[in-house]
Amino acid sequence: EVQLVQSGAELKKPGESLRISCKGSGYSFTTYWIGWVRQMPGKGLEWMGIIYPDDSDTRYSPSFQGQVTISADRSITSAYLQWNNLKASDTAIYYCVRQRRQGTVWYFDYWGQGTLVAVSS
Amino acid sequence: SSELTQDPAVSVALGQTVRITCQGDSLRSYYASWYQQKAGQAPVLVIYGKNKRPSGIPDRFSGSGSGNTASLIITGARAEDEADYHCDSRDSSGNHVVFGGGTKLTVL
């Protein structure tokens, strides 16, 4: 059974650093793209970026380039989303997602349970 | 701003058919995918590619597309279909993914 299990909720202060994680299991971790999606309170979904764990090829949404870092550790089948300088506007639920690519068709077939990140002074 | 546009809210009477739309230039080149998100839960894929359903998704869910518009159709809506529905697709460059703003479906 494919599973993406994310780390727990975080309460941080502005300016702090944070790394949240997503552990994949039940499939070949290195051969699927794995990405991150943000959902701010009461809002829609936003694609942040994606990584291919086999070679760490990483792509970012222009909206998030330079704001976050996506990484992966294939040895422990985990992906990460990192901030170096959190802002109150980073308060959101963050989902990790597995992406399937079948020719020109891309879609997210599995989602993690979400990690709530709250940033407040 | 999103490159994919969805109506913020749609309603349907129990048992009737509803069409939820997603518009954007990239849909002329790429298929949309659709995700159902119930309150307090993670999204779930319901339609991808040319009208394909993942295992476990009821066949009352279907997808279609024409020009710059993709549609999610629910035939015979049930109370449990009340949720937010999000579309996504590759962007115009083909290198990234974009989501629509989401549609809140109310089943009356």
Side-chain angles (χ1 to χ4, degrees):
Chain A
E1 178 194 9
V2 174
Q3 287 192 306
L4 298 174
V5 178
Q6 299 183 227
S7 50
E10 301 276 359
L11 175 58
K12 306 293 283 185
K13 289 180 166 47
E16 291 186 334
S17 298
L18 174 66
R19 189 178 78 164
I20 62 175
S21 67
C22 170
K23 182 170 176 61
S25 63
Y27 72 99
S28 176
F29 183 76
T30 56
T31 58
Y32 290 84
W33 292 82
I34 189 161
W36 293 92
V37 173
R38 183 175 80 174
Q39 188 167 40
M40 299 177 74
K43 301 298 184 183
L45 304 174
E46 299 173 271
W47 180 75
M48 301 177 72
I50 205 156
I51 188 167
Y52 193 67
D54 191 46
D55 60 7
S56 293
D57 184 5
T58 309
R59 316 286 173 86
Y60 292 94
S61 161
S63 299
F64 292 93
Q65 178 83 46
Q67 308 304 309
V68 296
T69 301
I70 293 171
S71 61
D73 185 338
R74 50 191 288 178
S75 69
I76 55 173
T77 67
S78 292
Y80 303 96
L81 179 63
Q82 180 175 334
W83 295 261
N84 289 331
N85 180 16
L86 283 163
K87 307 175 184 59
S89 57
D90 293 317
T91 295
I93 296 174
Y94 294 86
Y95 294 101
C96 72
V97 289
R98 188 181 85 162
Q99 186 183 57
R100 291 293 301 272
R101 294 188 176 189
Q102 297 175 327
T104 61
V105 179
W106 294 2
Y107 55 96
F108 300 122
D109 61 348
Y110 285 93
W111 294 63
Q113 83 275 22
T115 296
L116 172 63
V117 174
V119 184
S120 174
S121 55
Chain B
S1 62
S2 175
E3 294 181 33
L4 296 179
T5 302
Q6 297 182 243
D7 290 328
V10 171
S11 62
V12 61
L14 192 67
Q16 296 303 299
T17 296
V18 63
R19 179 183 294 262
I20 298 170
T21 61
C22 176
Q23 289 188 303
D25 286 342
S26 64
L27 297 177
R28 298 184 185 277
S29 304
Y30 304 110
Y31 289 112
S33 302
W34 291 92
Y35 306 87
Q36 176 193 67
Q37 186 179 28
K38 296 183 178 180
Q41 298 182 21
V44 172
L45 177 69
V46 294
I47 291 289
Y48 66 97
K50 188 177 181 181
N51 191 23
K52 295 185 180 180
R53 282 176 289 107
S55 174
I57 301 302
D59 61 6
R60 64 178 180 274
F61 290 90
S62 63
S64 69
S66 178
N68 72 337
T69 301
S71 299
L72 173 69
I73 301 136
I74 307 174
T75 304
R78 304 176 110 174
E80 61 259 38
D81 299 333
E82 189 162 285
D84 293 328
Y85 290 87
H86 307 271
C87 64
D88 82 352
S89 181
R90 296 167 70 172
D91 72 356
S92 299
S93 75
N95 295 321
H96 301 122
V97 173
V98 289
F99 282 95
T103 297
K104 181 177 182 60
L105 176 67
T106 301
V107 180
L108 304 172

